[in-house]
Amino acid sequence: MCEKCFDKEIFRFDSQSDFNDFEKTLGKKSKYLELINSKNEYLDDFHYTYTCGNCNQNWWLSIPENAWRGYFLTEKNAKDNIENIRSSDKKKKNGCLILLIFFFMILMLSLINSCVGKSQKFDKIKWNKREDGFYLYREEMIGDLTENYLKKGTTYKKIISLLGAPQNLNDEIERTISYELMTDYGWDIDPVEVKTLKIKISKDSTLNSFKIEHWKK
């Protein structure tokens, strides 16, 4: 650097007025500063390179545009500045990626918790709890009920004691009793979806098998 070109660097132009003043100064020094065409991995269309005929210092000018405030730096400091910007941008991208992964994990955990939240331990009183004609907890308790209570060989008397009277009359031919789990009417007066627990009773009045029938319109 020398007084013929510039004796200080500009790391950013704070306003368009600052850049206009700089251009006037640059024009006055054009006698010593030569605009050169330089191909470099750091440069783009908004960069210009100058060399001082007096001290041979190379200067890089970056034109401010919108939020980008530009700079006028020696070649070495300009390269360092660009590297810092690239490093900062990379960290921001990595930070955004980490945040995206984090929020995705939170979403997945929320979905898992939501699914888990729908599963409840069987409770005899809650099994028959209704509101506006709908069973509130049967669908959520069916997993625990079928896994831990409806064992093959369970007596008919025990089933009735647990679940109460079935929704259908005992069919002596099929020996099947039914319990409504859920019914969805949608916007219609007729059901659009029904889930029913069907329990098959053996001749000796014990549980033979069970299944969940799911009908959807």
Side-chain angles (χ1 to χ4, degrees):
M1 292 187 290
C2 68
E3 62 181 17
K4 299 293 185 181
C5 53
F6 288 88
D7 57 1
K8 64 179 181 179
E9 299 172 277
I10 301 173
F11 283 86
R12 58 175 283 135
F13 299 99
D14 291 323
S15 66
Q16 185 62 40
S17 176
D18 288 343
F19 181 70
N20 292 339
D21 292 340
F22 166 79
E23 281 191 307
K24 292 177 182 178
T25 304
L26 182 64
K28 293 176 182 178
K29 293 179 179 288
S30 60
K31 179 178 178 180
Y32 301 99
L33 286 174
E34 178 185 0
L35 179 64
I36 59 175
N37 292 322
S38 176
K39 291 185 178 180
N40 193 293
E41 62 172 316
Y42 293 94
L43 299 176
D44 57 30
D45 293 340
F46 297 101
H47 282 82
Y48 297 91
T49 56
Y50 297 85
T51 185
C52 177
N54 184 59
C55 66
N56 295 320
Q57 175 66 62
N58 287 335
W59 293 88
W60 286 14
L61 170 64
S62 175
I63 306 297
E65 184 180 21
N66 298 325
W68 174 248
R69 301 318 309 154
Y71 57 76
F72 184 71
L73 301 170
T74 60
E75 183 174 342
K76 179 183 180 305
N77 287 340
K79 289 180 179 179
D80 290 342
N81 186 53
I82 293 172
E83 284 293 344
N84 289 334
I85 292 172
R86 289 178 177 177
S87 177
S88 177
D89 288 344
K90 185 176 181 181
K91 288 179 180 178
K92 288 178 182 178
K93 289 180 181 179
N94 290 338
C96 290
L97 180 60
I98 291 172
L99 283 175
L100 184 62
I101 293 174
F102 174 75
F103 284 122
F104 178 75
M105 291 177 64
I106 293 295
L107 177 62
M108 291 302 296
L109 287 173
S110 297
L111 290 174
I112 292 172
N113 289 334
S114 175
C115 292
V116 172
K118 290 183 178 180
S119 178
Q120 293 191 28
K121 294 288 186 182
F122 174 76
D123 181 281
K124 182 178 178 180
I125 296 177
K126 292 175 72 174
W127 172 261
N128 288 306
K129 190 172 181 60
R130 304 179 71 177
E131 187 174 292
D132 296 329
F134 297 97
Y135 291 101
L136 300 178
Y137 305 105
R138 286 191 174 186
E139 192 176 11
E140 287 78 8
M141 291 192 289
I142 191 62
D144 185 56
L145 173 67
T146 55
E147 183 177 351
N148 298 309
Y149 293 88
L150 298 185
K151 305 292 185 181
K152 189 169 183 178
T154 302
T155 64
Y156 176 81
K157 183 177 179 181
K158 176 67 173 177
I159 295 172
I160 300 302
S161 175
L162 280 173
L163 307 181
Q167 261 71 48
N168 69 323
L169 294 176
N170 193 356
D171 190 323
E172 294 296 336
I173 298 176
E174 294 189 359
R175 296 186 299 276
T176 301
I177 57 176
S178 302
Y179 291 89
E180 176 189 341
L181 297 179
M182 65 81 70
T183 301
D184 182 12
Y185 288 90
W187 298 100
D188 203 345
I189 59 173
D190 297 318
V192 295
E193 184 178 9
V194 177
K195 285 184 183 179
T196 307
L197 172 63
K198 300 268 188 174
I199 301 176
K200 186 84 170 180
I201 304 297
S202 300
K203 291 181 179 180
D204 62 355
S205 296
T206 61
L207 188 151
N208 179 277
S209 63
F210 64 82
K211 64 179 179 178
I212 296 172
E213 289 189 352
H214 185 190
W215 174 84
K216 195 171 184 179
K217 190 172 181 180

